[in-house]
Amino acid sequence: MSVRFLSSVAALALSSGAAMADYSLTILHTNDFHARFEPISKYDSGCSSEDNTEGKCFGGSARLVTAIEEARARSNNSILVDGGDQFQGTLFYTYYKGKLAAEMMNKMGYTAMTVGNHEFDDGPEVLRGFMDAVNFPVLMSNADVSGEPLLADVLMKSTVIEQGGEKIGLIGLTPHDTDELASPGPNIIFTDPSDAVQGEVDKLTAEGVNKIIVLSHSGYNVDKTVAANTTGVDVIVGGHSNTYLSNTSDRAEGPYPTMVGDTAIVSAYAYGKFLGELNVTFDDDGKVVEAAGEPIIMDAAVSEDEGTKARIAEAAAPLDEIRNKVVAETAEAIDGDKNACRSGECTMGNLVADAMLDRVADQGVTIAIANGGGLRASIDAGEVTMGEVLTVLPFQNTLSTFETTGAVIVEALENGVSQYEDVAGRFPQVAGLKFTFDPAAEAGSRISEVMVKDGEGYVAIDPAKTYLAVTNNYVRNGGDGYAMFKGASNAYDFGPDLADVTAEYLAANAPYTPYTDGRITKK
């Protein structure tokens, strides 16, 4: 029975005083795609065509096109939405900015998406260009954009669509701290997510809309908070924390969907590795009476759409000379997994921090701090290509050197571990120092035993002493909450590209052997 026919039956039933029929909807969803238009390896990095042929790769736009088509065929009433961060992550974004993302999302027939923090990486201009190119609404409720001319009359907080004869309200949500995570410029004011969502829910409810879906690029923990703090939200499609929810995998962070009260929360990891598929049934009051589904893995069992595959190959042609260049060799895989590098010492963090410090040590720099969120993939064993390095470090960040006191270094480390429970990107990877942290302590009081390298040994950091330090330009200018570095003395933000520095360090130490040495200790 078609949904259109159900709706007409419901209308007849209502006119005779009986209850309306239930309304069923399939919500297909992606999040944190990060320009992974080509298939990825198990490390979320590039995957060779040979490995893809052998069935070792995942994702890619060509598989998503097939999977979306098949999922639509299973449902007579579906929408396709995105939880943000289509931008940034590979050379495709560096080269095309938002153009290829817009083309592919239009091809796949997205219904709507929310703004992720990375949609602001190149300022409002690139986001506006993307919005002009897509044929679906892009939403963000928790920000005042009235002062930003490029977005003021275009970026809506919410929208209402008609689907299967029913009205559905869609609300966008982006990180509260986007001004610390990206480059939205000075004209946008970000606000509390729960308050923003409730404001839009109230507005939509007043318009008679009783089925409401939040597209949230705010992370799993914030999604659970929003669900608990608001009324009237039926489904939250998540993003930002790359959370994998599942009912079948022991690697999942929670059930799919995660229910908080009457609100169903879903998330489908990242990088196009899964297509989320949630089947929701609403009663005639718009309340969710059933929500079930599972993310579908985009492995070799999902065939690649040939037309899309050819288009991506065409788009990749200008990038191949850069990314196929072999720059080094590694004896073992280098772990850049998000969960590892945002919660403790990881081998990729040590590599990048060591490379930063090595490059500027002759300037008297003794401390390096890298944000774990800047490390976006792992590298497998064997030959290392520039493309792999650029997938790990895609942001075109430059080395920034500066002077600061020991007290400020400790303050920076406190910031770095302050959102440990959220697996936040500010977690500090370091070189030239060691520290201990207690995640059970109150944020702001978690750091202890900070030691700085002195010759072959370590000595306690001196709060009053001035140290020369290196980080990337994003962190030095206050990104990821490192506001304490913004006023640093003798700051120079225009050093070499961090990806080039890391590639050259790998080459100089080839074959590189990844390691950890206890520089970060968790109590």
Side-chain angles (χ1 to χ4, degrees):
M1 184 185 291
S2 74
V3 169
R4 185 175 297 159
F5 183 53
L6 269 174
S7 298
S8 61
V9 169
L12 284 169
L14 190 62
S15 66
S16 62
M20 286 179 67
D22 287 345
Y23 172 79
S24 295
L25 175 70
T26 299
I27 302 170
L28 306 174
H29 60 98
T30 53
N31 58 278
D32 300 279
F33 186 68
H34 289 297
R36 297 304 205 276
F37 300 102
E38 293 177 318
I40 57 171
S41 71
K42 64 182 179 180
Y43 298 105
D44 299 331
S45 188
C47 206
S48 68
S49 56
E50 293 80 13
D51 283 350
N52 195 35
T53 302
E54 292 174 20
K56 297 178 181 177
C57 303
F58 304 87
S61 297
R63 279 195 182 91
L64 275 175
V65 166
T66 299
I68 290 164
E69 186 179 321
E70 291 174 351
R72 284 180 173 138
R74 287 192 291 273
S75 169
N76 59 6
N77 191 37
S78 65
I79 61 172
L80 173 63
V81 293
D82 185 75
D85 274 7
Q86 281 281 326
F87 286 15
Q88 198 66 265
T90 67
L91 270 180
F92 282 103
Y93 178 76
T94 307
Y95 192 85
Y96 293 105
K97 298 306 178 186
K99 291 176 183 176
L100 192 59
E103 179 185 337
M104 286 295 123
M105 293 184 83
N106 284 340
K107 177 171 186 146
M108 293 175 198
Y110 274 82
T111 308
M113 74 173 283
T114 189
V115 177
N117 51 290
H118 285 293
E119 268 73 64
F120 281 114
D121 275 355
D122 287 286
E125 297 85 355
V126 173
L127 173 57
R128 174 59 189 269
F130 171 80
M131 291 178 67
D132 287 344
V134 296
N135 50 26
F136 52 84
V138 179
L139 307 169
M140 183 174 72
S141 65
N142 61 320
D144 179 356
V145 298
S146 60
E148 175 47 66
L150 285 163
L151 301 175
D153 299 319
V154 183
L155 183 51
M156 300 293 105
K157 294 177 182 290
S158 63
T159 193
V160 178
I161 62 167
E162 187 163 310
Q163 181 67 34
E166 293 284 322
K167 288 182 177 177
I168 299 170
L170 302 174
I171 302 170
L173 201 56
T174 205
H176 195 178
D177 57 351
T178 291
D179 56 338
E180 296 179 357
L181 302 176
S183 304
N187 302 325
I188 302 173
I189 302 165
F190 294 89
T191 60
D192 178 76
S194 296
D195 292 345
V197 167
Q198 191 64 63
E200 290 306 298
V201 171
D202 293 346
K203 188 184 95 174
L204 293 167
T205 303
E207 295 171 8
V209 179
N210 65 7
K211 300 170 188 68
I212 294 174
I213 300 167
V214 175
L215 311 180
S216 170
H217 192 82
S218 297
Y220 187 45
N221 288 339
V222 173
D223 290 343
K224 289 187 283 188
T225 300
V226 169
N229 288 351
T230 59
T231 57
V233 175
D234 297 302
V235 178
I236 298 177
V237 175
H240 189 49
S241 53
N242 296 16
T243 299
Y244 177 42
L245 300 179
S246 171
N247 304 309
T248 61
S249 171
D250 58 5
R251 299 180 66 184
E253 294 177 51
Y256 182 100
T258 297
M259 297 300 300
V260 176
D262 294 329
T263 305
I265 301 171
V266 293
S267 179
Y269 184 53
Y271 312 123
K273 194 170 185 177
F274 296 88
L275 173 67
E277 183 180 35
L278 181 72
N279 298 298
V280 187
T281 303
F282 299 87
D283 67 15
D284 57 345
D285 293 322
K287 181 180 177 182
V288 174
V289 293
E290 186 180 0
E294 184 72 17
I296 307 158
I297 191 161
M298 298 293 102
D299 60 11
V302 181
S303 63
E304 293 178 282
D305 175 74
E306 289 301 327
T308 308
K309 187 175 181 179
R311 174 67 187 107
I312 297 301
E314 179 186 35
L319 318 178
D320 283 343
E321 185 178 352
I322 303 167
R323 62 185 186 173
N324 290 339
K325 182 182 178 185
V326 176
V327 293
E329 183 181 349
T330 180
E332 302 166 25
I334 309 170
D335 184 11
D337 180 76
K338 171 188 172 176
N339 290 320
C341 295
R342 299 186 185 193
S343 61
E345 181 184 359
C346 70
T347 54
M348 187 67 75
N350 285 359
L351 164 63
V352 172
D354 286 351
M356 293 165 72
L357 189 56
D358 179 77
R359 174 59 71 98
V360 293
D362 61 356
Q363 299 173 31
V365 176
T366 58
I367 292 170
I369 297 178
N371 55 322
L375 313 175
R376 309 304 291 196
S378 301
I379 292 176
D380 55 2
E383 288 185 342
V384 179
T385 65
M386 195 63 202
E388 287 180 290
V389 177
L390 286 162
T391 302
V392 176
L393 300 162
F395 300 118
Q396 298 177 286
N397 290 137
T398 53
L399 290 201
S400 291
T401 53
F402 58 101
E403 291 180 356
T404 194
T405 64
V408 171
I409 292 292
V410 175
E411 183 186 355
L413 297 175
E414 287 284 8
N415 169 68
V417 300
S418 66
Q419 296 181 5
Y420 171 85
E421 54 274 24
D422 294 328
V423 200
R426 62 189 62 198
F427 191 91
Q429 298 293 327
V430 299
L433 62 77
K434 295 180 176 182
F435 69 89
T436 299
F437 75 102
D438 180 0
E442 187 177 347
S445 304
R446 293 177 171 175
I447 294 290
S448 61
E449 300 169 47
V450 181
M451 310 288 286
V452 291
K453 196 162 189 185
D454 184 29
E456 293 303 308
Y458 286 82
V459 298
I461 196 165
D462 181 348
K465 182 177 176 180
T466 296
Y467 294 88
L468 278 170
V470 62
T471 186
N472 61 62
N473 63 309
Y474 167 72
V475 167
R476 219 287 301 161
N477 285 282
D480 269 339
Y482 286 92
M484 67 291 299
F485 289 159
K486 288 177 80 171
S489 301
N490 294 324
Y492 181 73
D493 295 332
F494 309 104
D497 186 285
L498 182 53
D500 292 337
V501 168
T502 302
E504 288 162 19
Y505 183 81
L506 278 167
N509 292 277
Y512 180 78
T513 302
Y515 73 100
T516 57
D517 58 8
R519 63 185 69 176
I520 300 173
T521 304
K522 182 172 71 172
K523 278 189 176 176

